[in-house]
Amino acid sequence: SGTREVGVKPKFEETLPPLLMASLITAALTYPLDFGRAMAMSSAVTGQATRQLSFTKGLVPELAKGTASRAIKFGMYPIVHQALEKKSFWKNRPTACRCAAGAIATVPEIALITPLEVTKLALQLDGVGANRFKNSLIQATKNLVKDGGGPQALYACHFGLQARQAVWTAVYFGSLPLILQQSSNLFAAGLIAGAFGALVNNPIDVCRSVAQKDLLTAWSTGTIPTVQYFPYFGRTLDAGRQVVSARGIPALWSGSAFKAAHLGFGGALMAVLQPVCTRFWTHLISLQPHTKFNQVSSTHKVTSLRGGGTFIPAGYNPFGYKLTPLGLEFIDKVHGFSDTDLGRLLASLKSSRKRLSAIKSEWLELLRFSKTAQATRIFNQLEQLLHLALKAGLID
């Protein structure tokens, strides 16, 4: 949706802010589910709910981690996917290409967020104990580096976290387009893809959660002098064997309900919020004053015009649409405009205010009888054209 010209690449300042907004909102709304997942998974060995985690103590690092994680992952994926698509090996393997791109996109993500994940867990554990960190992310980081064995303490069980994230992201991006072929509901498709990915990677996450919790608990109680890095999967696999030995293979899916809800809801929110936040940010950019017209990006020449535009997507208006005086002037006085796709669509609104459903019905009926290329184009791009007209102030 929107008014971006074909072939024009979005600028950094146009894409990052809406991605960060969507990521922050999703992180905040899904934190309670993430806390429930952590509670269930960290107690996978005993089968009893742990009381060692504090809900509020891990809130700040989780919001920072969740926002950064999603922004990097959802920002890197299209870049990696576009690069892989150019390789002959992936051209006839679209699903495998999406899965590979998703997994690769998590490498910089995990390199950045592992310290936040470790610090969050340290704060949650500290919340019921000695309260050494005073609910401070900075203090927890300093203590881990100073007393926990150096900067490597911030990367405890790093490879277990990398495996967890790569599996979920590969499944999510690999399955989402396939689900959308069966249902056009973006929220439902994101929910199913996210929940499916959560169920697939749950065993890895259980092993990683138990390993990290045991490691940080042993260090905070003085059982071990430092938080050891444990490269590769050694510590994570040991934790998995411990879980299976104590409670059997089904225990590897401890917390799966919370995790499926957390990542399913998170996947659904990101799928829906990204385009919404992008439209909102585009609207804010369009309201900024420009001293010279040639400074306006060619991408936003239409959206920067101050008419009766709105960032709400076409189709969400319950009252319908009608021509503004500016729209009527375009149709009547701009030579050739009424023959364009947008002009033909606006001309159909001259008689009265119409709701989206009525506009769609009229153009569907016209398409059935005329079957012209222009009618087909207008019907297929109806909402985009209405959104463009709203932005330009041609309809209200």
Side-chain angles (χ1 to χ4, degrees):
S1 63
T3 60
R4 183 168 302 285
E5 297 171 7
V6 176
V8 177
K9 292 185 177 181
K11 295 182 179 179
F12 181 77
E13 64 270 18
E14 295 172 359
T15 56
L16 183 60
L19 185 56
L20 287 172
M21 280 191 282
S23 300
L24 178 58
I25 294 170
T26 302
L29 292 178
T30 57
Y31 176 70
L33 294 170
D34 179 67
F35 182 77
R37 172 205 62 80
M39 289 274 288
M41 288 184 174
S42 60
S43 60
V45 176
T46 62
Q48 298 177 349
T50 181
R51 296 182 181 275
Q52 291 181 296
L53 302 183
S54 169
F55 180 84
T56 57
K57 291 292 178 82
L59 179 58
V60 173
E62 173 58 27
L63 289 182
K65 186 210 76 170
T67 301
S69 172
R70 291 177 176 90
I72 295 172
K73 174 166 45 208
F74 283 84
M76 285 295 298
Y77 169 76
I79 299 173
V80 178
H81 183 250
Q82 187 177 31
L84 289 181
E85 275 188 318
K86 296 176 182 178
K87 307 295 182 182
S88 58
F89 177 81
W90 300 105
K91 284 186 177 179
N92 297 321
R93 300 175 175 89
T95 302
C97 183
R98 292 193 300 269
C99 290
I104 295 171
T106 63
V107 174
E109 171 198 0
I110 296 303
L112 177 66
I113 72 160
T114 299
L116 291 169
E117 178 73 27
V118 173
T119 309
K120 177 194 76 172
L121 184 55
L123 281 171
Q124 289 174 334
L125 289 168
D126 187 56
V128 188
N131 199 26
R132 292 183 299 169
F133 307 143
K134 309 300 181 185
N135 197 25
S136 169
L137 177 64
I138 296 175
Q139 187 62 44
T141 304
K142 287 181 178 179
N143 277 37
L144 280 167
V145 173
K146 181 181 178 181
D147 303 328
Q152 65 267 28
L154 298 175
Y155 283 87
C157 301
H158 167 76
F159 286 94
L161 196 60
Q162 176 65 69
R164 177 199 77 168
Q165 213 74 348
V167 169
W168 182 85
T169 310
V171 173
Y172 176 81
F173 285 115
S175 63
L176 185 60
L178 301 178
I179 298 170
L180 283 171
Q181 291 177 6
Q182 308 300 320
S183 171
S184 59
N185 189 311
L186 195 56
F187 184 88
L191 183 68
I192 295 170
F196 179 49
L199 293 175
V200 173
N201 86 340
N202 205 87
I204 301 173
D205 204 12
V206 165
C207 299
R208 189 271 319 170
S209 296
V210 171
Q212 278 188 327
K213 171 184 166 290
D214 289 350
L215 199 57
L216 290 172
T217 300
W219 169 70
S220 62
T221 57
T223 306
I224 58 176
T226 61
V227 180
Q228 300 171 48
Y229 176 49
F230 287 108
Y232 308 113
F233 299 99
R235 183 76 181 188
T236 303
L237 292 176
D238 287 343
R241 283 191 287 267
Q242 185 183 0
V243 170
V244 173
S245 176
R247 298 183 54 222
I249 293 178
L252 293 175
W253 275 269
S254 297
S256 58
F258 275 112
K259 185 175 176 65
H262 172 225
L263 294 182
F265 190 45
L269 284 175
M270 285 301 294
V272 172
L273 285 174
Q274 274 189 276
V276 171
C277 290
T278 298
R279 286 192 291 266
F280 175 70
W281 184 252
T282 301
H283 176 67
L284 289 182
I285 292 176
S286 73
L287 297 180
Q288 299 300 314
H290 300 280
T291 56
K292 295 181 180 179
F293 181 77
N294 60 10
Q295 290 179 343
V296 181
S297 165
S298 62
T299 309
H300 293 295
K301 284 180 180 177
V302 173
T303 58
S304 62
L305 295 176
R306 298 296 299 274
T310 172
F311 69 87
I312 301 175
Y316 285 10
N317 187 345
F319 305 110
Y321 307 98
K322 72 172 182 179
L323 282 174
T324 62
L326 178 63
L328 188 61
E329 187 175 355
F330 261 74
I331 292 176
D332 293 340
K333 297 183 179 181
V334 177
H335 178 70
F337 178 73
S338 58
D339 295 327
T340 66
D341 292 355
L342 182 59
R344 287 286 308 278
L345 175 60
L346 295 184
S348 68
L349 300 176
K350 290 181 70 173
S351 58
S352 62
R353 178 182 291 275
K354 297 177 183 178
R355 299 182 66 178
L356 180 63
S357 57
I359 299 172
K360 282 185 174 180
S361 297
E362 286 185 7
W363 280 97
L364 179 60
E365 196 68 21
L366 180 63
L367 183 60
R368 286 172 178 167
F369 284 99
S370 68
K371 295 183 174 62
T372 64
Q374 186 179 45
T376 302
R377 285 196 309 271
I378 294 173
F379 182 77
N380 289 337
Q381 303 180 73
L382 198 56
E383 293 189 24
Q384 289 92 332
L385 290 171
L386 286 174
H387 191 207
L388 173 61
L390 280 169
K391 287 283 193 178
L394 301 178
I395 59 177
D396 75 353

